[in-house]
Amino acid sequence: MPTKKETLNIIGMTCASCADSIEKAIKKLNGIQSVNVNFASEKATILYDTNKVRISEIKQAIKNAGYTPLEADSEKKIDEEKMRRVKEMKT
Ligand code: 9UX
């Protein structure tokens, strides 16, 4: 059973219960072995069977629940965006 671990950043969580709703939404999918959504770090760590479910389906489930998933890779972009805004505020 090919298992993959994926970490997604999730935008739009405004209280800890949001993390719970996302966990439940993801767990409904086939092939999900474990889900952990961390409200504080805005990250979801998902362990899933690559034969049964695709990351795109997981993301879609998050979107359907009303949140915005991002690849962990895009984290750098977010940081750059934050930096840019901070710079703008200073000027
Ligand atoms: Mo908290 Mo999230 O009241 O969907 S559960 S904002």
Side-chain angles (χ1 to χ4, degrees):
M1 203 157 66
T3 301
K4 196 167 184 260
K5 188 179 168 187
E6 192 79 50
T7 304
L8 300 172
N9 286 286
I10 300 177
I11 296 176
M13 294 194 281
T14 43
C15 91
S17 308
C18 294
D20 283 344
S21 339
I22 296 170
E23 276 189 15
K24 281 189 196 119
I26 297 172
K27 274 182 196 154
K28 275 186 203 156
L29 298 169
N30 229 344
I32 303 293
Q33 280 158 16
S34 79
V35 192
N36 184 271
V37 181
N38 188 305
F39 166 66
S41 63
E42 299 185 292
K43 279 188 175 104
T45 308
I46 306 132
L47 217 62
Y48 65 101
D49 183 340
T50 53
N51 279 347
K52 287 184 184 157
V53 66
R54 289 169 191 278
I55 193 69
S56 59
E57 294 176 79
I58 296 170
K59 284 186 185 172
Q60 192 54 54
I62 297 170
K63 282 181 203 160
N64 291 345
Y67 309 94
T68 307
L70 296 173
E71 295 280 0
D73 300 348
S74 56
E75 194 168 354
K76 215 179 145 213
K77 280 185 203 151
I78 298 169
D79 285 345
E80 280 165 10
E81 178 67 21
K82 272 187 197 157
M83 293 280 284
R84 204 177 56 77
R85 269 188 239 143
V86 169
K87 267 185 201 163
E88 269 178 8
M89 282 195 291
K90 278 180 189 161
T91 53

